[in-house]
Amino acid sequence: MSEVKGTGRVKRGMAEMLKGGVIMDVVNAEQAKIAEDAGAVAVMALERVPADIRAQGGVARMSDPDMIEKIQAAVSIPVMAKARIGHFVEAQVLQSLGVDYIDESEVLTPADYENHIDKWDFTIPFVCGATNLGEALRRINEGAAMIRSKGEAGTGDVSNAMQHMRKIGGEIRRLSSMREDELYVAAKELQAPYELVKEVAQSGKLPVVLFTAGGIATPADAALMMAMGADGVFIGSGIFKSGNPAQRAAACVKATTFWQDAKVVADASRGLGEAMVGINVADLPAPHRLADRGW
Amino acid sequence: MKVGVLSLQGDVREHVSALIACGIDPIEVRSESELAEIDALILPGGESTTIAQLSEIFGIYEPIKQRIEAGMPVYGSCAGMILLADSILDAKQGQKTFGGLDITVRRNAFGRQVDSFETDISFDDGSSDLIKAVFIRAPWVERVGVGVQVLASVDSHPVAVRSATLLATSFHPELTADHRIHRYFIEEVAKPALEKVK
């Protein structure tokens, strides 16, 4: 009886267990506990939420291992952490800490503007951001076991996440309607491996779990993303940059489960106090847009 | 037989597909009225803390507990095993379970995701064929009570157990194409249990 760790099934399977859930950004143990109590399926440990990274500027890096370990000790749910795009040593460090998932994230400042991390090299699974199907398939080809739409992190503006979900969904539907002999050109156009393109065309979905992220700030935002076909939701700045984090966190969890029931979403939306202030993505100068990082 | 899958969070879709492959037309259960329609239930893999909490918020925690006490056949994988256990170790403070199965389960006993693994194990259903078992941040059973039978173990830790009406595995047969465990639940657990009630 030999036990094999880090197989594709074990990595992708971990993401399957998170489906229908909300993963919340937290910066300390206290917030992690609030998230767990609210029903989060996992927490993302990071030093600054995207809204603060945006406000303070500078280079954003992997979090302090001490801080990650404190969060691991505080909660029983999975703990994820972010590494910079292409920074495989940060990823090795996170793996050595025993985090449950690594987010190779455009929210941090990229370490490599050409290559992403070779994620097949790791026992720990990776989630990566994507704005379209080709990008999602390139990440899966590099070993990502979970994909999230990028959205525009730290804005509280859901429009980019919406655009990315529509784009990914639309491109999948287009592949499904193609003749098999048209898939070669489709793969060329998507700049994605033919085998993955064929798999998506046949199954009508990504081969890994698809979450959504970036700008989700209200229960209705979370429900909207589920209605667009997301398997679950990442909420970054939206919770702990709002007036009443515990209540808003629980409300977003409810709306994610019962996204089909407008009455539940309505009830969850009542009396939450102030949502995060937010920035319109359209007002962001192009160089400050995080979703454009990664390729 | 009408079989439901508790659809609050987790790998619901995989259990639904496994049931369809076994010739069952499953019902996704989120409410008390959906619960009332079914004869047997599957508790999927996912986050046990989240599933327990959502079931309380949406008022189906007590109804499920009562149905289990009244003899409804239930199969739980991973988080589902935790939810069926009478007592749990390394739990979140105040974490509730539906209970019904006289076992003590240790959460995340095999470790974090870096320790998650797959392996081939024997399963005591009369067949000598090994079964592919996928363990993801998996629990194991630390104490087995009276009337609970161990069906599979890894390193002497029980990872599949059953009582007269309840079946629990720490691994995820729903992530593989082999539906032996689901068939075992339907044929050897649920059917005999429902026959008795009649």
Side-chain angles (χ1 to χ4, degrees):
Chain A
M1 190 166 66
S2 65
E3 297 175 2
V4 195
K5 293 178 182 175
T7 62
R9 188 149 37 197
V10 164
K11 288 174 172 178
R12 292 180 180 188
M14 165 79 205
E16 305 286 354
M17 301 309 143
L18 303 172
K19 278 189 303 204
V22 181
I23 299 168
M24 301 179 192
D25 277 3
V26 297
V27 299
N28 55 44
E30 205 176 37
Q31 290 187 352
K33 274 191 173 327
I34 292 173
E36 184 179 44
D37 286 341
V41 287
V43 290
M44 176 73 69
L46 73 178
E47 221 141 59
R48 295 181 284 168
V49 294
D52 288 336
I53 293 175
R54 197 176 279 294
Q56 294 160 6
V59 175
R61 310 179 178 90
M62 175 188 79
S63 299
D64 183 335
D66 274 348
M67 175 274 221
I68 293 170
E69 280 177 352
K70 277 184 198 148
I71 289 173
Q72 286 174 316
V75 295
S76 65
I77 55 177
V79 176
M80 301 181 161
K82 287 183 194 285
R84 281 179 267 176
I85 290 175
H87 205 314
F88 54 87
V89 171
E90 281 189 352
Q92 287 162 0
V93 169
L94 293 174
Q95 174 164 279
S96 79
L97 296 176
V99 303
D100 294 295
Y101 237 94
I102 295 173
D103 184 1
E104 186 182 16
S105 178
E106 72 284 358
V107 169
L108 305 184
T109 310
D112 187 331
Y113 281 91
E114 283 181 4
N115 305 288
H116 282 68
I117 297 170
D118 178 2
K119 294 164 273 286
W120 298 112
D121 255 5
F122 291 78
T123 310
I124 243 22
F126 280 74
V127 54
C128 288
T131 59
N132 57 60
L133 181 60
E135 196 177 354
L137 295 181
R138 287 193 292 280
R139 296 296 85 78
I140 293 167
N141 194 44
E142 295 157 1
M146 178 179 185
I147 295 292
R148 54 173 175 75
S149 71
K150 281 184 180 169
E152 188 56 39
T155 59
D157 181 347
V158 81
S159 63
N160 269 27
M162 188 69 177
Q163 187 189 334
H164 301 157
M165 288 305 292
R166 282 212 186 268
K167 179 99 179 162
I168 293 170
E171 286 170 330
I172 291 174
R173 287 189 294 277
R174 183 169 163 268
L175 284 188
S176 298
S177 69
M178 283 182 160
R179 281 167 54 102
E180 227 181 293
D181 61 4
E182 293 166 345
L183 294 176
Y184 299 99
V185 172
K188 187 194 78 176
E189 285 168 357
L190 288 168
Q191 298 178 49
Y194 168 74
E195 286 305 323
L196 285 174
V197 168
K198 194 174 156 194
E199 191 181 338
V200 171
Q202 283 168 350
S203 68
K205 62 183 206 51
L206 281 186
V208 302
V209 166
L210 172 65
F211 267 51
T212 184
I216 293 134
T218 68
D221 287 349
L224 175 69
M225 290 296 116
M226 294 303 283
M228 290 307 298
D231 289 319
V233 181
F234 281 89
I235 305 185
S237 320
I239 287 172
F240 290 100
K241 284 284 157 194
S242 75
N244 188 345
Q247 202 187 339
R248 182 167 296 268
C252 290
V253 170
K254 280 186 218 170
T256 301
T257 304
F258 285 82
W259 59 271
Q260 285 159 302
D261 189 336
K263 274 191 184 147
V264 174
V265 180
D267 276 341
S269 306
R270 281 177 215 279
L272 291 180
E274 250 177 85
M276 70 179 285
V277 177
I279 310 166
N280 291 330
V281 174
D283 296 341
L284 280 177
H288 295 185
R289 292 186 192 168
L290 303 176
D292 297 339
R293 293 173 172 176
W295 32 90
Chain B
M1 187 194 325
K2 286 195 173 165
V3 184
V5 180
L6 186 63
S7 304
L8 297 173
Q9 190 272 318
D11 68 339
V12 174
R13 195 158 63 206
E14 286 68 23
H15 277 290
V16 165
S17 313
L19 286 172
I20 291 171
C22 294
I24 300 262
D25 187 14
I27 296 171
E28 294 191 11
V29 175
R30 287 186 193 83
S31 66
E32 201 173 347
S33 60
E34 286 159 342
L35 179 68
E37 284 177 45
I38 58 166
D39 305 306
L41 179 65
I42 289 186
L43 304 176
E47 263 312 306
S48 57
T49 52
T50 306
I51 297 173
Q53 223 163 327
L54 285 168
S55 72
E56 274 195 284
I57 293 171
F58 293 103
I60 51 170
Y61 173 79
E62 279 301 329
I64 290 177
K65 204 173 155 71
Q66 283 163 14
R67 285 290 304 272
I68 292 174
E69 279 163 15
M72 173 176 66
V74 183
Y75 165 45
S77 70
C78 197
M81 171 187 260
I82 295 167
L83 291 166
L84 284 175
D86 278 347
S87 70
I88 43 177
L89 301 171
D90 291 343
K92 178 173 100 76
Q93 209 181 356
Q95 186 180 345
K96 280 191 176 177
T97 68
F98 299 120
L101 202 48
D102 183 11
I103 53 173
T104 301
V105 168
R106 185 176 293 280
R107 283 184 69 208
N108 306 335
F110 284 101
R112 295 180 178 279
Q113 178 60 18
V114 266
D115 306 304
S116 293
F117 63 99
E118 54 180 273
T119 185
D120 298 314
I121 59 173
S122 54
F123 180 76
D124 192 8
D125 59 354
S127 162
S128 58
D129 293 341
L130 297 179
I131 196 160
K132 173 71 73 194
V134 185
F135 293 85
I136 296 175
R137 287 172 48 95
W140 68 44
V141 178
E142 290 223 339
R143 183 194 58 85
V144 177
V146 180
V148 177
Q149 183 193 349
V150 176
L151 299 170
S153 297
V154 167
D155 302 335
S156 77
H157 301 292
V159 293
V161 293
R162 68 163 293 180
S163 67
T165 57
L166 305 174
L167 172 69
T169 62
S170 346
F171 52 92
H172 295 279
E174 73 277 12
L175 292 182
T176 72
D178 181 354
H179 306 302
R180 201 166 125 197
I181 305 265
H182 287 82
R183 265 198 297 275
Y184 177 82
F185 172 62
I186 293 159
E187 299 298 331
E188 307 297 328
V189 181
K191 275 189 185 165
L194 293 169
E195 282 299 313
K196 249 189 197 167
V197 177
K198 279 178 193 164

